[in-house]
């Protein structure tokens, strides 16, 4: 990641780093700001079950080893709600405008 960043033009307005365990690994400390994507637990469980073809118990076991959303919210600078009731695109575009305005 660091090598890739170094290869980018200086004029790059901002860089996004996706990391499922950004807060648990303390990687967020190497970022200028952080975005937490939130969804209701049942939505998260269903999505992971579909993606990984695992049981609900396996997903919940993984989730129980991670920080709670409440703890992540205390560490995050921004939030996106991926709860199927809010437009993700509008939320992302709002953050894009904010980040693009930073000089």
């Amino acid at each position: 990641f660091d090598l890739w960043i170094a290869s980018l033009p200086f004029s790059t307005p901002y860089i996004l780093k996706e990391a499922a365990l950004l807060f648990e690994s303390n990687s967020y400390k190497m970022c200028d700001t952080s975005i937490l994507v939130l969804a209701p637990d049942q939505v998260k469980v269903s999505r992971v079950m579909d993606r990984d073809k695992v049981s609900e118990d396996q997903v919940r076991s993984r989730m129980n080893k991670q920080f709670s959303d409440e703890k992540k919210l205390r560490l995050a600078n921004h939030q996106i709600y991926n709860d199927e009731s809010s437009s993700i695109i509008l939320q992302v575009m709002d953050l894009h405008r904010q980040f693009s305005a930073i000089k």
Side-chain angles (χ1 to χ4, degrees):
F1 185 76
D2 293 336
L3 290 174
W4 175 71
I5 289 174
S7 73
L8 297 174
F10 184 70
S11 61
T12 302
Y14 61 87
I15 299 163
L16 297 175
K17 176 181 184 178
E18 188 282 329
L21 301 174
L22 186 75
F23 299 106
E24 291 85 349
S25 68
N26 283 322
S27 295
Y28 77 98
K29 292 179 179 179
M30 295 181 285
C31 301
D32 295 324
T33 193
S34 60
I35 305 167
L36 175 62
V37 179
L38 295 161
D41 279 355
Q42 193 53 49
V43 172
K44 290 189 276 190
V45 168
S46 178
R47 289 174 179 164
V48 174
M49 287 173 62
D50 288 346
R51 182 192 69 206
D52 295 353
K53 307 298 184 225
V54 294
S55 72
E56 181 174 349
D57 287 342
Q58 289 171 302
V59 176
R60 291 201 181 273
S61 176
R62 287 184 203 173
M63 289 171 65
N64 289 335
K65 294 173 186 162
Q66 298 172 4
F67 288 176
S68 68
D69 285 347
E70 292 76 23
K71 185 170 184 174
K72 292 177 192 178
L73 274 167
R74 290 192 301 271
L75 299 170
N77 303 105
H78 307 275
Q79 302 83 39
I80 290 177
Y81 295 94
N82 188 3
D83 58 4
E84 300 176 353
S85 68
S86 304
S87 170
I88 295 171
I89 293 172
L90 292 176
Q91 295 175 78
V92 169
M93 291 307 298
D94 181 51
L95 289 174
H96 170 68
R97 282 189 288 278
Q98 291 178 49
F99 298 157
S100 295
I102 297 171
K103 302 287 181 197

